[in-house]
Amino acid sequence: MKNIFLSSFIGLFLSVSLLVSTAFETLNAQNKIVAISIDSMNVLYKGLDNPITIAIEDVSSTKISVTINNGTITGINGKYIVKPANIGNAIIDVMVDGKKNGSKQFRVKSVPDPISYIGGLSGSFYASKDQLAQFDKLEARIPNFPLNLSFEVISFELTIEKS
């Protein structure tokens, strides 16, 4: 038996699937509902495009402008992409005609490092040459992560110890 250790260098986010939607609603000074909704969950992730939806009751989306204190926010007509710059918190402010109508603070987290798997196994394991030859793919994923991220393994290192 040989001890096989696999370490991967993972890169290139290929896709992000959205799972749930949460919204924050508040009344502004004019008693209109301001809704700021992260389309994926109640947290923003550094390094990812975080889609959000913003709306104000009885206000055309073309009259709404938004700012963020941690990163960038781009988009139009109520649909935006937030790209946080730092881990911690981010505050999104919503304005109509230059006047602040609402704001919401969100937590900003980092995406955990993916783990490499070969034949469904990860880390150090024992496999014979014949068993290793049967493994059909090397993949990387983040177990128990709420977003469905896809990764491409761009290189890996395989160490074989003779016993």
Side-chain angles (χ1 to χ4, degrees):
M1 286 290 183
K2 295 177 179 155
N3 184 16
I4 306 294
F5 179 75
L6 175 69
S7 65
S8 297
F9 302 96
I10 293 118
L12 303 177
F13 292 115
L14 298 179
S15 69
V16 176
S17 297
L18 306 177
L19 302 177
V20 296
S21 178
T22 59
F24 170 78
E25 293 182 352
T26 186
L27 291 176
N28 64 14
Q30 294 80 32
N31 289 324
K32 295 188 185 277
I33 295 175
V34 177
I36 303 172
S37 170
I38 296 179
D39 296 344
S40 59
M41 61 188 40
N42 197 20
V43 66
L44 300 170
Y45 285 97
K46 181 181 176 189
L48 296 183
D49 288 348
N50 296 269
I52 66 168
T53 302
I54 297 175
I56 299 176
E57 180 183 19
D58 296 330
V59 175
S60 168
S61 62
T62 59
K63 293 184 177 185
I64 296 173
S65 61
V66 295
T67 60
I68 188 167
N69 71 337
N70 177 4
T72 61
I73 185 167
T74 58
I76 58 170
N77 296 329
K79 297 292 185 182
Y80 301 91
I81 298 294
V82 174
K83 293 183 180 181
N86 300 299
I87 305 303
N89 292 307
I91 298 173
I92 297 172
D93 291 322
V94 180
M95 283 123 348
V96 175
D97 297 326
K99 295 179 183 174
K100 188 170 164 181
N101 273 246
S103 64
K104 172 67 177 151
Q105 178 174 299
F106 293 98
R107 292 176 296 142
V108 178
K109 293 184 171 183
S110 62
V111 175
D113 290 334
I115 298 172
S116 58
Y117 293 85
I118 186 167
L121 302 171
S122 104
S124 295
F125 58 89
Y126 292 96
S128 69
K129 177 182 171 186
D130 292 335
Q131 289 170 319
L132 190 59
Q134 293 177 6
F135 296 146
D136 62 347
K137 68 178 175 178
L138 173 64
E139 62 182 337
R141 62 181 182 263
I142 304 171
N144 304 315
F145 190 65
L147 295 175
N148 183 18
L149 301 178
S150 298
F151 300 93
E152 178 182 357
V153 178
I154 54 175
S155 69
F156 69 94
E157 184 178 298
L158 181 66
T159 303
I160 301 174
E161 296 177 2
K162 293 183 179 182
S163 48

